[in-house]
Amino acid sequence: MIENSYVRSIRRIGHLLDWLPAPLGSILILVFAAGIALLSSRIITDALPRLPGLRRVQFIHAIIARLRAPIRNGLMIIAASAALQATVGFTDATTSFLEQVFICLFILNLGFGIIRTFRLLTDQYLTRISARDHADDITVRSHQTQIRVLRRLIEISFGVLTVASSLMVFHSVQKFGVSLFASAGAASLIVGLSARPALTNLIAGIQIAVTQPIRMEDMLILNGDWAWVEEINATYVVLRTWDRRRYIVPISYFLENPFQNWTHSSPSLIASLFLWLDYQTPVDRLREMYFEELAKCPDWDQDKTSIGCQIADSNAQVMSIRLIAGAPDANSMWDLACDIRERMLRRLRLEMPECLPRGRTAIVPGAPEQNAWPDALVAPPVNRPQDGPYRGPDMPASPPAAATPGRP
């Protein structure tokens, strides 16, 4: 009933354009119908959120804002296709072709509108789980990874099906599809070889979503750089370094190569730093000083089972003191290590400057050859005989050699 009255109204408007050429008048009728639908859609989408019962429903505002363009396009397509029945200036072939075009556009608009709705629902879910109090960070990041990766795959798959369904409206495309299906063996081989990298990354994306060797905001070590997982797409991963550089890595890389994931099971880490100090350093006093300064660090996670102060190494000049402490995440770990190093060096410089590393050099003044080791450089001093070679403090000097007869 509504459709018949709409068609009659369009025909009345068409009679007003009888003085124009028939094709041009029909085109103007379609444009007029689409314009009326566009104006109506603007009124609907602007007035609907202002209704008394819907003003405070944020989800309604969000879905109308997200679907504003599909709603407008859909109403324009429906209005133009309905007005096509009232036109008389097109041939039967042109009318049939325009009907197929409108059906194709309606399928495309409907499919991508469903994709937008699906993305809106997943975004609402991600926002809700991220806003929960006392939410487990690992659980939240696991859900984010699964939803983002699977959403990309679903959107790509549904988009391909939508485009294929819309194109199948045309008879020429249907015939091409039948011929392609008849030669599916050769076509699948060619397509498989050409799309092998993309298919490999798509399958790797499914494995990443299920097994989750990486998650959103995981901290990885790649090529010696700290990098956080910023985005996981269907075929690649975007990593953000500490200095805001971006690594674009194929998603299959994380299934084929070993890498370090510092936040896989827990975001907490242990900060470790080394101090190179002199051998005169009292380690017990140094350990007490370390515990005092650690208690003042705001980035320490207060876990006393993960702290330590030990001699880790030594060489001919200094010894290496390793200090460790727990931190809640990677950023805090770096800040904690820098904070402890600064505090300990300041305390050592003010209270025990003799513990700082130093170089030792013995300056020996020039001396005759027989007195190459003066008593001032030997502790305790020893009495060395002046005749014969020196053999140590408890060894007598060698007697002078007897003269050989017949020789001077």
Side-chain angles (χ1 to χ4, degrees):
M1 184 67 180
I2 298 175
E3 182 180 358
N4 293 334
S5 61
Y6 176 75
V7 172
R8 287 195 298 268
S9 301
I10 293 297
R11 285 177 178 174
R12 292 194 191 98
I13 297 173
H15 290 317
L16 300 176
L17 301 176
D18 288 340
W19 55 278
L20 292 174
L24 181 59
S26 299
I27 293 175
L28 290 178
I29 289 174
L30 296 180
V31 172
F32 176 76
I36 293 298
L38 177 61
L39 181 61
S40 302
S41 65
R42 284 182 177 273
I43 295 174
I44 293 173
T45 54
D46 292 340
L48 187 61
R50 299 178 182 179
L51 295 178
L54 301 178
R55 288 181 179 178
R56 298 183 179 181
V57 182
Q58 296 297 329
F59 180 74
I60 298 297
H61 291 264
I63 195 170
I64 291 177
R66 187 69 63 91
L67 298 180
R68 191 184 301 271
I71 291 174
R72 291 176 179 175
N73 296 334
L75 291 177
M76 291 172 62
I77 293 171
I78 293 173
S81 61
L84 185 64
Q85 301 177 8
T87 58
V88 294
F90 296 132
T91 62
D92 293 340
T94 304
T95 303
S96 176
F97 176 74
L98 289 177
E99 288 178 351
Q100 293 176 353
V101 170
F102 288 143
I103 294 174
C104 175
L105 294 176
F106 180 78
I107 294 175
L108 288 174
N109 184 73
L110 179 62
F112 288 104
I114 294 174
I115 291 176
R116 285 195 174 191
T117 305
F118 175 70
R119 178 176 284 270
L120 174 64
L121 295 176
T122 54
D123 288 340
Q124 291 287 335
Y125 175 74
L126 290 175
T127 303
R128 186 175 62 183
I129 64 173
S130 300
R132 288 178 181 174
D133 295 334
H134 308 293
D136 184 12
D137 182 70
I138 299 296
T139 303
V140 172
R141 291 190 289 112
S142 298
H143 285 211
Q144 288 179 344
T145 302
Q146 290 177 341
I147 290 176
R148 290 179 185 275
V149 175
L150 295 179
R151 181 175 65 182
R152 297 274 184 178
L153 296 175
I154 292 174
E155 288 177 353
I156 291 174
S157 303
F158 194 80
V160 171
L161 291 177
T162 300
V163 174
S165 301
S166 62
L167 293 178
M168 290 297 289
V169 174
F170 300 97
H171 299 294
S172 58
V173 178
Q174 291 180 0
K175 295 179 181 180
F176 177 75
V178 172
S179 61
L180 184 63
F181 181 76
S183 59
S188 61
L189 181 61
I190 295 173
V191 172
L193 290 176
S194 60
R196 185 181 63 84
L199 293 176
T200 300
N201 287 315
L202 285 174
I203 296 174
I206 298 175
Q207 292 178 299
I208 291 290
V210 175
T211 60
Q212 293 191 356
I214 60 173
R215 304 184 186 91
M216 295 296 298
E217 293 303 324
D218 269 351
M219 206 206 77
L220 312 179
I221 302 297
L222 187 67
N223 296 334
D225 282 336
W226 291 16
W228 285 263
V229 179
E230 184 177 49
E231 185 178 351
I232 301 178
N233 293 300
T235 56
Y236 64 92
V237 178
V238 180
L239 303 180
R240 182 186 70 254
T241 61
W242 65 272
D243 54 356
R244 300 179 184 178
R245 289 178 291 119
R246 300 297 191 273
Y247 279 108
I248 309 299
V249 185
I251 199 169
S252 59
Y253 174 88
F254 298 99
L255 298 177
E256 300 172 355
N257 299 279
F259 61 94
Q260 297 184 40
N261 188 339
W262 285 20
T263 55
H264 182 266
S265 301
S266 173
S268 61
L269 295 168
I270 294 180
S272 176
L273 66 145
F274 292 85
L275 297 178
W276 297 91
L277 302 177
D278 193 80
Y279 276 101
Q280 297 184 5
T281 303
V283 180
D284 293 337
R285 173 57 185 148
L286 181 70
R287 189 174 290 114
E288 295 176 0
M289 185 185 301
Y290 168 61
F291 294 156
E292 294 173 1
E293 294 298 327
L294 180 62
K296 303 175 184 177
C297 296
D299 295 311
W300 180 41
D301 60 2
Q302 305 298 322
D303 184 8
K304 296 183 178 180
T305 61
S306 62
I307 62 176
C309 175
Q310 298 172 315
I311 299 178
D313 195 5
S314 62
N315 54 34
Q317 289 79 29
V318 293
M319 59 181 177
S320 175
I321 307 295
R322 188 185 70 161
L323 308 176
I324 59 174
D329 51 53
N331 287 329
S332 300
M333 180 200 69
W334 175 261
D335 294 337
L336 178 63
C338 296
D339 191 13
I340 292 175
R341 185 182 294 108
E342 181 179 348
R343 291 174 180 272
M344 292 298 295
L345 291 178
R346 183 173 62 247
R347 289 283 299 272
L348 289 172
R349 187 177 66 253
L350 296 177
E351 301 179 16
M352 296 188 295
E354 69 278 2
C355 300
L356 299 177
R358 68 185 70 183
R360 293 177 173 84
T361 304
I363 301 176
V364 181
E369 205 174 301
Q370 67 272 15
N371 195 17
W373 296 93
D375 294 340
L377 296 180
V378 181
V382 295
N383 296 323
R384 299 197 182 105
Q386 298 299 323
D387 50 347
Y390 175 66
R391 296 189 176 184
D394 299 328
M395 298 292 295
S398 299
T404 303
R407 293 185 180 179

Coordinates of all heavy atoms in Angstrom, one line a residue, residues 128-164:
R128 N 34.4 -2.4 28.1 CA 33.8 -2.8 29.4 C 34.8 -3.6 30.2 O 34.9 -3.4 31.4 CB 32.5 -3.6 29.1 CG 31.8 -3.9 30.4 CD 30.5 -4.6 30.0 NE 30.7 -5.9 29.3 CZ 29.7 -6.6 28.9 NH1 28.5 -6.3 29.0 NH2 30.0 -7.8 28.3
I129 N 35.5 -4.6 29.6 CA 36.4 -5.4 30.3 C 37.6 -4.6 30.8 O 38.3 -4.9 31.8 CB 36.8 -6.7 29.5 CG1 37.6 -6.3 28.3 CG2 35.6 -7.5 29.2 CD1 38.2 -7.5 27.5
S130 N 38.0 -3.6 30.0 CA 39.2 -2.8 30.4 C 38.9 -1.9 31.6 O 39.8 -1.5 32.3 CB 39.7 -2.0 29.2 OG 40.1 -2.8 28.1
A131 N 37.6 -1.5 31.7 CA 37.2 -0.6 32.8 C 36.8 -1.3 34.1 O 36.5 -0.6 35.1 CB 36.0 0.2 32.3
R132 N 36.9 -2.6 34.1 CA 36.6 -3.3 35.4 C 37.6 -3.1 36.4 O 38.8 -3.1 36.1 CB 36.5 -4.8 35.1 CG 35.2 -5.3 34.3 CD 35.2 -6.8 34.1 NE 34.1 -7.2 33.3 CZ 33.9 -8.4 32.8 NH1 34.8 -9.3 33.1 NH2 32.9 -8.7 32.1
D133 N 37.2 -2.9 37.6 CA 38.1 -2.8 38.8 C 38.7 -4.2 39.1 O 38.0 -5.2 39.1 CB 37.4 -2.2 40.0 CG 36.9 -0.8 39.7 OD1 37.5 -0.1 38.9 OD2 35.9 -0.4 40.4
H134 N 40.0 -4.2 39.5 CA 40.7 -5.4 39.9 C 40.7 -6.4 38.8 O 40.7 -7.6 39.0 CB 40.1 -6.0 41.1 CG 39.9 -5.0 42.3 ND1 41.0 -4.5 42.9 CD2 38.8 -4.5 42.8 CE1 40.5 -3.7 43.9 NE2 39.2 -3.6 43.8
A135 N 40.7 -5.9 37.5 CA 40.8 -6.9 36.4 C 42.2 -7.4 36.2 O 43.2 -6.6 36.3 CB 40.3 -6.2 35.1
D136 N 42.3 -8.7 35.9 CA 43.6 -9.2 35.7 C 44.2 -8.7 34.4 O 43.6 -8.8 33.4 CB 43.5 -10.8 35.7 CG 44.9 -11.5 35.6 OD1 45.9 -10.8 35.8 OD2 44.9 -12.7 35.3
D137 N 45.4 -8.2 34.5 CA 46.0 -7.6 33.3 C 46.2 -8.7 32.2 O 46.0 -8.4 31.0 CB 47.3 -7.0 33.6 CG 48.0 -6.3 32.4 OD1 47.5 -5.3 32.0 OD2 49.0 -6.8 32.0
I138 N 46.6 -9.9 32.6 CA 46.9 -10.9 31.6 C 45.5 -11.3 30.9 O 45.5 -11.5 29.7 CB 47.5 -12.1 32.3 CG1 48.9 -11.8 32.8 CG2 47.7 -13.3 31.2 CD1 49.9 -11.3 31.8
T139 N 44.5 -11.4 31.7 CA 43.2 -11.8 31.1 C 42.7 -10.8 30.2 O 42.1 -11.1 29.1 CB 42.2 -12.0 32.3 OG1 42.7 -13.0 33.2 CG2 40.8 -12.5 31.7
V140 N 42.8 -9.5 30.6 CA 42.3 -8.4 29.7 C 43.1 -8.4 28.4 O 42.5 -8.3 27.3 CB 42.5 -7.1 30.4 CG1 42.2 -5.9 29.5 CG2 41.5 -7.0 31.6
R141 N 44.4 -8.5 28.4 CA 45.2 -8.5 27.2 C 44.9 -9.8 26.4 O 45.0 -9.7 25.2 CB 46.7 -8.4 27.6 CG 47.0 -7.0 28.1 CD 48.5 -6.8 28.2 NE 49.1 -7.5 29.3 CZ 50.0 -8.5 29.1 NH1 50.3 -8.8 27.9 NH2 50.5 -9.2 30.1
S142 N 44.6 -10.9 27.0 CA 44.3 -12.1 26.3 C 43.0 -11.9 25.5 O 42.9 -12.3 24.3 CB 44.2 -13.3 27.2 OG 45.4 -13.6 27.9
H143 N 42.0 -11.3 26.1 CA 40.7 -11.1 25.5 C 40.9 -10.1 24.3 O 40.3 -10.2 23.2 CB 39.7 -10.6 26.5 CG 39.1 -11.6 27.3 ND1 37.9 -11.6 27.9 CD2 39.7 -12.8 27.8 CE1 37.7 -12.7 28.6 NE2 38.8 -13.4 28.6
Q144 N 41.7 -9.0 24.6 CA 41.9 -8.1 23.5 C 42.6 -8.7 22.3 O 42.2 -8.4 21.2 CB 42.8 -6.9 24.1 CG 42.1 -6.0 25.1 CD 43.1 -4.9 25.6 OE1 44.3 -5.0 25.5 NE2 42.5 -3.9 26.2
T145 N 43.6 -9.5 22.6 CA 44.3 -10.2 21.4 C 43.3 -11.1 20.7 O 43.3 -11.0 19.4 CB 45.5 -11.0 22.0 OG1 46.3 -10.2 22.7 CG2 46.2 -11.6 20.8
Q146 N 42.6 -11.9 21.3 CA 41.7 -12.8 20.6 C 40.6 -12.1 19.9 O 40.4 -12.4 18.7 CB 41.0 -13.8 21.7 CG 41.9 -14.8 22.3 CD 41.3 -15.6 23.3 OE1 40.2 -15.3 23.9 NE2 41.8 -16.8 23.7
I147 N 40.0 -11.1 20.5 CA 39.0 -10.3 19.8 C 39.5 -9.6 18.6 O 38.9 -9.6 17.5 CB 38.2 -9.4 20.8 CG1 37.4 -10.3 21.8 CG2 37.3 -8.5 20.1 CD1 36.8 -9.5 22.9
R148 N 40.6 -8.9 18.8 CA 41.2 -8.1 17.7 C 41.6 -8.9 16.5 O 41.3 -8.6 15.3 CB 42.3 -7.2 18.2 CG 41.9 -6.1 19.1 CD 43.1 -5.3 19.6 NE 42.8 -4.4 20.6 CZ 42.3 -3.1 20.4 NH1 42.2 -2.7 19.1 NH2 42.0 -2.3 21.3
V149 N 42.3 -10.0 16.8 CA 42.7 -10.9 15.6 C 41.6 -11.6 15.0 O 41.4 -11.6 13.7 CB 43.8 -11.9 16.2 CG1 44.2 -12.9 15.0 CG2 45.0 -11.2 16.7
L150 N 40.7 -12.2 15.8 CA 39.5 -12.9 15.2 C 38.6 -11.9 14.5 O 38.0 -12.3 13.5 CB 38.8 -13.7 16.2 CG 39.6 -14.9 16.8 CD1 38.8 -15.6 17.9 CD2 40.1 -15.8 15.8
R151 N 38.5 -10.7 15.0 CA 37.6 -9.7 14.4 C 38.1 -9.4 13.0 O 37.4 -9.2 12.1 CB 37.5 -8.5 15.3 CG 36.6 -7.4 14.7 CD 36.4 -6.3 15.7 NE 37.7 -5.5 15.9 CZ 37.8 -4.5 16.7 NH1 36.8 -4.1 17.4 NH2 39.0 -3.9 16.9
R152 N 39.4 -9.2 12.9 CA 40.0 -8.9 11.6 C 39.7 -10.0 10.6 O 39.3 -9.8 9.4 CB 41.5 -8.7 11.7 CG 41.9 -7.6 12.6 CD 42.0 -6.3 11.9 NE 42.5 -5.2 12.7 CZ 42.7 -4.0 12.3 NH1 42.4 -3.7 11.0 NH2 43.1 -3.0 13.1
L153 N 39.9 -11.3 11.0 CA 39.7 -12.4 10.1 C 38.2 -12.5 9.7 O 37.9 -12.7 8.6 CB 40.1 -13.7 10.8 CG 41.6 -13.8 11.1 CD1 41.9 -15.0 11.9 CD2 42.4 -13.7 9.8
I154 N 37.3 -12.3 10.7 CA 35.9 -12.3 10.4 C 35.5 -11.2 9.5 O 34.7 -11.4 8.5 CB 35.1 -12.3 11.7 CG1 35.3 -13.6 12.5 CG2 33.6 -12.1 11.4 CD1 34.6 -13.5 13.9
E155 N 36.0 -10.0 9.7 CA 35.7 -8.9 8.8 C 36.2 -9.1 7.4 O 35.5 -8.8 6.4 CB 36.3 -7.6 9.4 CG 35.6 -7.1 10.6 CD 36.3 -5.9 11.2 OE1 37.4 -5.5 10.7 OE2 35.7 -5.3 12.1
I156 N 37.4 -9.7 7.3 CA 37.9 -9.9 5.9 C 37.1 -11.0 5.2 O 36.7 -10.9 4.1 CB 39.4 -10.4 6.0 CG1 40.3 -9.2 6.5 CG2 39.9 -10.9 4.7 CD1 41.7 -9.5 6.7
S157 N 36.8 -12.1 5.9 CA 36.0 -13.1 5.3 C 34.6 -12.7 5.0 O 34.1 -12.9 3.8 CB 35.9 -14.3 6.3 OG 37.1 -14.8 6.7
F158 N 33.9 -11.9 5.9 CA 32.6 -11.5 5.6 C 32.6 -10.4 4.5 O 31.7 -10.3 3.6 CB 31.9 -10.9 6.8 CG 30.5 -10.6 6.7 CD1 29.6 -11.7 6.9 CD2 30.0 -9.4 6.5 CE1 28.2 -11.5 6.8 CE2 28.6 -9.2 6.4 CZ 27.7 -10.2 6.5
G159 N 33.6 -9.6 4.4 CA 33.8 -8.6 3.3 C 33.9 -9.3 2.0 O 33.3 -8.8 1.0
V160 N 34.7 -10.3 1.9 CA 34.9 -11.1 0.7 C 33.6 -11.7 0.2 O 33.2 -11.6 -1.0 CB 36.0 -12.1 0.8 CG1 36.0 -13.0 -0.4 CG2 37.4 -11.4 1.0
L161 N 32.8 -12.3 1.2 CA 31.5 -12.9 0.8 C 30.5 -11.8 0.4 O 29.7 -12.1 -0.5 CB 31.0 -13.6 2.1 CG 31.8 -14.9 2.5 CD1 31.2 -15.5 3.7 CD2 31.7 -15.9 1.3
T162 N 30.6 -10.6 1.0 CA 29.7 -9.6 0.7 C 29.9 -9.1 -0.8 O 29.0 -8.9 -1.6 CB 29.8 -8.4 1.6 OG1 29.5 -8.9 2.9 CG2 28.9 -7.3 1.2
V163 N 31.2 -8.9 -1.1 CA 31.5 -8.4 -2.4 C 31.2 -9.5 -3.5 O 30.6 -9.2 -4.5 CB 33.0 -8.1 -2.5 CG1 33.5 -7.7 -3.9 CG2 33.3 -6.9 -1.6
A164 N 31.5 -10.8 -3.1 CA 31.2 -11.9 -4.1 C 29.6 -12.0 -4.3 O 29.2 -12.1 -5.4 CB 31.7 -13.2 -3.5

